Amino acid sequence: MRERKRISGKTLAEIFAVSTRLGFTSFGGPIAHLGYFHEEYVKRRKWLDEKGYAELVALCQFLPGPASSQVGIGIGLVRGGLLGGITSFIGFTFPSVIALILFALLLDGIDVGEAGWIHGLKLVAVAVVAHAIMGMAEKLTPDLKRKAIALIALIITLVWEMTFAQVAVILLGALAGYTLFKQNREEDDAPFEIPLSRKFAAACLAVFFGLLLLLPVLREITSFEWIAVFDSFYRSGALVFGGGHVVLPLLEQEVVPSGWVSEEAFLAGYGAAQAVPGPLFTFAAYLGAVMNGWAGGLLATAAIFLPAFLLIVGTLPFWASIRQNPAMKGAFMGVNAAVVGILIAAFYQPIWTSTIKDAVDFAAAAVLFSMLAYWKLPPWSVVVAGALFGVGLDVFN
């Protein structure tokens, strides 16, 4: 379908401002990012409704690449078309890209992984994700059938610790929803539409697969190092399921044996990546900067995120039409419930298990949750409070 309205500069400026603020304050990894997005885009600004957001999250779980970044791009597409998607991606990504390139150039070897404020930000992630899950569960699992789907999804995701577990759970949720709710006539509150044509979407998918096949060939028949670098990071971004942490072994395989980055530098950069907000895929910016300064950092960033961008732009226009099919609505109800279960599982492992170590941590997380859920304080203030608590805890211990 053709773009129905001209996207104003004011809309793009709003998308950039909101996504940039999230890029500076969204600590805690991809599941925490989804919590921040839910709070900002669904509850506060109402750019998507609960069901549309859950379906967007489900789609991004199917696709390879950084799920939270793809959700952010998708929200930008809904709000502002192709330019909105690009703007949302840049705003959410560039703070951590710049920070990690600076780490590579100026702070190489400094250990920030155990800093007190990092622990405080992990506590913020606990509060943010818990709040998001409660809000989504209230809307998406209102009856016993959908609560049961969510519970089964939670159990399978926790017990079956494999890369494709989430995809399998979503498929099972769709099957269960279709079976249980195929006669249901529940209506969407506000179905989202993507102002992009299917022809353009198909072209993006063609480019995605074309580059995946062509880049290794070009790498073999040419001696240009930048093609080899682009190919390594593009394939890493195109073939990984399961989020940022899963891409680390792929990146290590590409850059350490080749001699581009030493093992010590790789591990130091991973510690730095834990200290910055935004998507963990921006670790590529650090690796590229170690290899070739600012130019290398930007090239690696573009290469590793390009597959994610092509896939979400290429699939959303088709997804937006499919979700309106009456025969599919029951399946989507099951998918939405399964997403709740997946998020609860991710809340437990790794967010809870890696953060809540004692009663003090639990108490601090409870206070941060209350600030967000009951006192209705803005998320950035909760981030600041969490970081200050972490620093104080580090000083007095």
Side-chain angles (χ1 to χ4, degrees):
M1 102 183 121
R2 295 184 180 275
E3 192 150 341
R4 296 184 174 182
K5 61 180 180 180
R6 179 179 293 276
I7 305 301
S8 69
K10 183 178 179 180
T11 298
L12 295 178
E14 181 187 25
I15 293 171
F16 183 73
V18 175
S19 61
T20 300
R21 188 173 76 251
L22 289 169
F24 276 110
T25 58
S26 294
F27 292 87
I31 301 300
H33 299 163
L34 296 180
Y36 285 105
F37 289 171
H38 180 269
E39 178 69 25
E40 186 67 36
Y41 292 130
V42 179
K43 297 192 69 175
R44 186 175 300 240
R45 297 183 180 272
K46 303 187 186 306
W47 288 358
L48 267 71
D49 61 19
E50 295 281 357
K51 294 173 185 171
Y53 182 73
E55 289 167 17
L56 180 58
V57 171
L59 172 61
C60 294
Q61 298 288 350
F62 275 114
L63 300 176
S68 62
S69 295
Q70 287 170 315
V71 170
I73 293 168
I75 292 170
L77 289 170
V78 171
R79 183 67 176 174
L82 181 62
L83 289 178
I86 295 172
T87 301
S88 178
F89 165 72
I90 292 174
F92 183 61
T93 306
F94 90 85
S96 54
V97 167
I98 293 175
L100 286 171
I101 291 177
L102 290 176
F103 269 121
L105 299 180
L106 304 175
L107 303 177
D108 187 21
I110 294 180
D111 182 14
V112 297
E114 299 301 320
W117 61 276
I118 297 296
H119 182 67
L121 295 175
K122 290 180 179 180
L123 293 171
V124 173
V126 171
V128 169
V129 175
H131 187 226
I133 289 172
M134 287 181 62
M136 294 181 72
E138 182 180 355
K139 294 288 182 67
L140 302 178
T141 57
D143 52 60
L144 289 178
K145 291 179 181 179
R146 278 179 277 188
K147 284 181 170 64
I149 293 173
L151 178 60
I152 294 170
L154 161 65
I155 294 170
I156 294 175
T157 306
L158 285 177
V159 174
W160 188 22
E161 296 181 0
M162 296 181 67
T163 301
F164 293 96
Q166 291 184 355
V167 175
V169 165
I170 290 173
L171 288 173
L172 290 173
L175 179 61
Y178 177 79
T179 303
L180 295 171
F181 303 110
K182 58 185 177 183
Q183 302 300 325
N184 190 282
R185 292 293 181 263
E186 181 174 299
E187 297 182 356
D188 290 328
D189 296 330
F192 66 78
E193 295 183 355
I194 304 299
L196 297 173
S197 70
R198 291 187 177 187
K199 185 180 294 187
F200 181 78
C204 288
L205 293 177
V207 172
F208 168 79
F209 288 108
L211 289 174
L212 196 60
L213 297 173
L214 182 61
L215 284 172
V217 176
L218 289 176
R219 181 175 187 165
E220 289 297 322
I221 64 177
T222 67
S223 57
F224 296 125
E225 184 173 324
W226 67 269
I227 292 181
V229 172
F230 196 93
D231 172 54
S232 291
F233 284 93
Y234 184 87
R235 275 189 293 107
S236 296
L239 301 177
V240 61
F241 288 85
H245 290 279
V246 181
V247 81
L248 295 174
L250 288 179
L251 288 176
E252 186 172 17
Q253 272 186 335
E254 295 290 340
V255 302
V256 174
S258 64
W260 289 339
V261 177
S262 69
E263 183 72 26
E264 294 75 18
F266 186 93
L267 294 174
Y270 177 62
Q274 306 302 307
V276 298
L280 189 57
F281 267 53
T282 54
F283 181 44
Y286 168 86
L287 296 175
V290 169
M291 294 157 58
N292 194 28
W294 280 94
L298 295 176
L299 177 68
T301 302
I304 202 168
F305 279 103
L306 180 58
F309 192 88
L310 292 172
L311 282 172
I312 194 66
V313 173
T315 55
L316 260 184
F318 298 103
W319 179 267
S321 298
I322 292 171
R323 73 191 291 274
Q324 296 307 306
N325 187 325
M328 297 298 295
K329 288 194 174 183
F332 288 135
M333 291 168 67
V335 167
N336 292 341
V339 167
V340 173
I342 290 171
L343 291 179
I344 296 172
F347 173 68
Y348 173 73
Q349 173 69 33
I351 292 177
W352 182 278
T353 57
S354 66
T355 303
I356 305 300
K357 303 297 185 183
D358 52 35
V360 175
D361 286 343
F362 182 83
V367 171
L368 294 170
F369 176 83
S370 299
M371 292 172 64
L372 190 63
Y374 305 130
W375 302 335
K376 308 298 183 184
L377 297 178
W380 66 263
S381 66
V382 181
V383 170
V384 172
L388 291 176
F389 170 81
V391 171
L393 193 64
D394 199 33
V395 169
F396 290 106
N397 278 348

